Amino acid sequence: EIVLTQSPGTLSLSPGERAALSCRASQSITNSYLAWYQQKPGQAPRLLIYGASSRATDIPDRFSGSGSGTDFTLTISRLEPEDFAVYFCQQYGGSLTFGGGTKVEIK
Amino acid sequence: QVQLQESGPGLVKSSQTLSLTCTVSGASISSGGYFWNWIRQHPGKGLEWIGYIFYTGSTNYNPSLKSRLTMPVDTSKNQFSLKLTSVTAADTAVYYCARGSWTQLWSIDFWGQGTLVTVSS
């Protein structure tokens, strides 16, 4: 099973700042089967990025994904008030696993 | 718009079977290119994938839950289900049903709202 480790656990930033969230895999992820989700309190997760770098439908272009192999990054170029939430990465390598999450909070 | 809705008891007694059903609207479970998932989230914690099923009935389960798990599908009702036996307090969680997409490289593109299941002693 591929284990995903997200860092940092919490990111304290101000609106307008840039956020960089890391997701590291215990082994190489085939074909960039890596996705990112945003979750707000009391809500289901929402797909942001699939295939490591492709934005899902209706996702603003301030969200971008990059990386390959074992190291992936979700970048939010300029934080909007609605972006403060928890973010999860997820991989597929025969089965699905999720990272532990990064909370982006208002500084 | 694709919608998924979980239904089932919110309270299950320890050692009994947890049963949930997901009703899909706006899409057909029988359409190719998709896989149908159960995912859970323990209170205040991260996400745990439980398993998925294809419309053909083929399944893939989380190895840690496999011995207690079945996921039947009813294409005539556009529903799929979760049955988890011998539950304990550790199975208390919000349970989501969700659609996965091969064309979006094995990501989860639509989620239900989630339903809290509490296991009581």
Side-chain angles (χ1 to χ4, degrees), chain B residues 87-99:
Chain B
V87 296
T88 70
D91 295 307
T92 292
V94 173
Y95 286 76
Y96 294 99
C97 60
R99 188 182 83 168

Side-chain angles (χ1 to χ4, degrees), chain A residues 1 31-33 35 37 39 43-47 50-51 56 88 90 92 94-96 98-100, chain B residues 35 37 39 41 45-49 52 60 62-63 96 103-109 111-113:
Chain A
E1 175 183 291
N31 296 327
S32 295
Y33 290 153
Y37 302 86
Q39 187 179 34
Q43 296 184 16
R46 175 176 70 144
L47 177 65
Y50 65 91
F88 295 98
Q90 169 253 315
Y92 173 78
S95 62
L96 280 73
F98 290 89
Chain B
F35 55 104
N37 299 265
I39 295 162
Q41 188 167 32
K45 302 295 184 182
L47 299 163
E48 180 182 26
W49 171 72
Y52 63 69
N60 188 6
N62 185 322
Y96 294 99
T103 58
Q104 293 191 124
L105 303 184
W106 294 90
S107 61
I108 310 293
D109 60 356
W111 298 69
Q113 65 185 20

Side-chain angles (χ1 to χ4, degrees), chain B:
Chain B
Q1 177 74 339
V2 178
Q3 293 185 315
L4 299 95
Q5 179 66 58
E6 305 89 354
S7 59
L11 190 62
V12 181
K13 290 190 176 180
S14 184
S15 80
Q16 296 192 342
T17 296
L18 182 160
S19 295
L20 296 173
T21 295
C22 183
T23 302
V24 180
S25 59
S28 171
I29 283 183
S30 300
S31 298
Y34 301 107
F35 55 104
W36 305 91
N37 299 265
W38 288 99
I39 295 162
R40 69 183 182 180
Q41 188 167 32
H42 295 100
K45 302 295 184 182
L47 299 163
E48 180 182 26
W49 171 72
I50 297 171
Y52 63 69
I53 188 165
F54 295 105
Y55 75 96
T56 57
S58 176
T59 56
N60 188 6
Y61 296 154
N62 185 322
S64 69
L65 298 169
K66 188 173 184 177
S67 64
R68 301 192 288 133
L69 189 57
T70 55
M71 290 179 57
V73 63
D74 187 339
T75 55
S76 68
K77 294 182 178 180
N78 221 32
Q79 295 176 334
F80 62 105
S81 299
L82 168 69
K83 296 186 185 300
L84 185 65
T85 63
S86 305
V87 296
T88 70
D91 295 307
T92 292
V94 173
Y95 286 76
Y96 294 99
C97 60
R99 188 182 83 168
S101 169
W102 300 346
T103 58
Q104 293 191 124
L105 303 184
W106 294 90
S107 61
I108 310 293
D109 60 356
F110 286 97
W111 298 69
Q113 65 185 20
T115 187
L116 174 63
V117 178
T118 302
V119 177
S120 68
S121 54

